[in-house]
Amino acid sequence: MKTLSETWFAEGYIDFELKKYTLLAYLQQVTSYFNESKLYPQLSDVIFHYNNLQALKENKKFLQEQFPKKLTGVQIEKLQLLYEQIIEDDELMQELEEIITFSADKLKTAISSGTEIYEFVEDKLNIFPIGLIPLDTNEGYFFLSEGSGRQTLVYQYRLSFFEKHDEKYRAIRTEYVNEWERNIVNSYENIKAELLRNKKDLPNPAVYSIETELTFPVSETLLPVAKRSLVRYISKAA
């Protein structure tokens, strides 16, 4: 998929019509992925660009704390210099403000569309523990199953904490383990028992099942939504 640079709205020739069609071409691709229920990385990319525009629109300058950690110090310095050059030209600044206002509105609409899909997928997930859950739930496994098939994808997860703007957040890291076909022999309980026998690094892991009756693209949608849903599930149960 064609992506936009961090400073696409102010690079090269600053012209409203040119930037409008650049953005619309990008969003057309994003929409085509959303129509296939493919959310990532498209949704996070759209949110990233929206936040960039909001930082400029609301603060009138690029401050490091306003930007996602994806930007390096060199990139932030480039953005600051770019803004300083533009702000000295009233005509350019007016053109840029029109681009930002138009683009922020279109990006917000795209975010709403992606969020609706996200919430629909999330609502269709059923999460429940497999067997007894230990006191420490920061590390373990989850089983991911979709549709009417019997295939179960198994992932190892690890939760960690990080702070941002004096608030604590939970992050999740996952690693694909294997795929099992559920049957009389390979029930969830038996899969868990096999994991305990073969992976000695987690002697008493928390194990969860995440199921949905519908079929979604796994890597682009189901897995990212399942991971975030599991973090909330564990946080509420803690």
Side-chain angles (χ1 to χ4, degrees):
M1 178 185 134
K2 183 179 180 181
T3 59
L4 299 175
S5 71
E6 292 89 349
T7 56
W8 69 273
F9 50 89
E11 290 178 347
Y13 187 55
I14 300 178
D15 175 76
F16 176 77
E17 292 297 322
L18 175 63
K19 299 300 181 181
K20 180 178 77 172
Y21 288 117
T22 298
L23 177 70
L24 292 179
Y26 162 75
L27 291 178
Q28 186 177 29
Q29 292 186 76
V30 171
T31 300
S32 69
Y33 281 98
F34 285 176
N35 289 339
E36 297 175 4
S37 295
K38 294 180 179 179
L39 289 179
Y40 291 92
Q42 289 75 32
L43 180 56
S44 56
D45 194 55
V46 172
I47 293 173
F48 174 80
H49 289 299
Y50 177 76
N51 288 338
N52 279 359
L53 293 179
Q54 287 298 104
L56 176 58
K57 183 179 179 180
E58 296 174 3
N59 297 284
K60 296 299 182 182
K61 59 182 176 179
F62 290 96
L63 299 176
Q64 183 169 355
E65 59 268 25
Q66 256 72 53
F67 283 85
K69 298 303 181 184
K70 179 179 176 181
L71 292 183
T72 65
V74 174
Q75 289 171 314
I76 293 169
E77 183 179 355
K78 177 183 175 183
L79 291 170
Q80 290 172 333
L81 292 173
L82 180 64
Y83 182 80
E84 289 172 4
Q85 293 169 1
I86 293 173
I87 199 172
E88 294 177 359
D89 190 319
D90 292 339
E91 188 175 330
L92 269 184
M93 194 63 208
Q94 183 177 354
E95 192 81 3
L96 182 61
E97 288 183 351
E98 290 180 10
I99 293 169
I100 291 172
T101 300
F102 174 84
S103 301
D105 182 62
K106 293 296 181 182
L107 289 167
K108 186 176 181 179
T109 300
I111 291 171
S112 296
S113 298
T115 301
E116 286 182 9
I117 299 171
Y118 181 100
E119 291 175 348
F120 175 79
V121 176
E122 184 181 44
D123 185 60
K124 300 301 179 181
L125 297 181
N126 181 29
I127 304 177
F128 55 91
I130 304 299
L132 297 176
I133 296 297
L135 293 177
D136 184 3
T137 57
N138 289 327
E139 195 167 10
Y141 302 97
F142 66 88
F143 304 158
L144 189 60
S145 306
E146 62 159 349
S148 58
R150 291 183 173 274
Q151 299 305 114
T152 297
L153 302 174
V154 178
Y155 296 86
Q156 184 173 342
Y157 78 85
R158 182 176 182 83
L159 296 180
S160 59
F161 289 92
F162 70 95
E163 292 189 10
K164 183 177 181 182
H165 302 303
D166 297 326
E167 292 188 40
K168 288 187 176 182
Y169 296 87
R170 273 192 167 184
I172 184 170
R173 295 184 62 181
T174 61
E175 180 182 349
Y176 173 74
V177 176
N178 209 336
E179 179 177 329
W180 272 269
E181 182 177 350
R182 294 194 316 282
N183 49 44
I184 297 176
V185 177
N186 280 336
S187 65
Y188 284 144
E189 289 74 14
N190 289 342
I191 295 174
K192 176 181 178 179
E194 187 172 342
L195 286 169
L196 293 177
R197 285 194 300 269
N198 297 330
K199 294 180 71 66
K200 304 298 184 181
D201 56 322
L202 289 179
N204 187 30
V207 182
Y208 301 91
S209 171
I210 306 176
E211 296 181 338
T212 177
E213 295 179 354
L214 302 181
T215 299
F216 301 105
V218 175
S219 60
E220 297 94 340
T221 302
L222 185 58
L223 180 58
V225 177
K227 288 163 60 176
R228 289 165 175 78
S229 298
L230 181 61
V231 171
R232 277 196 295 274
Y233 180 91
I234 294 174
S235 298
K236 288 182 180 178

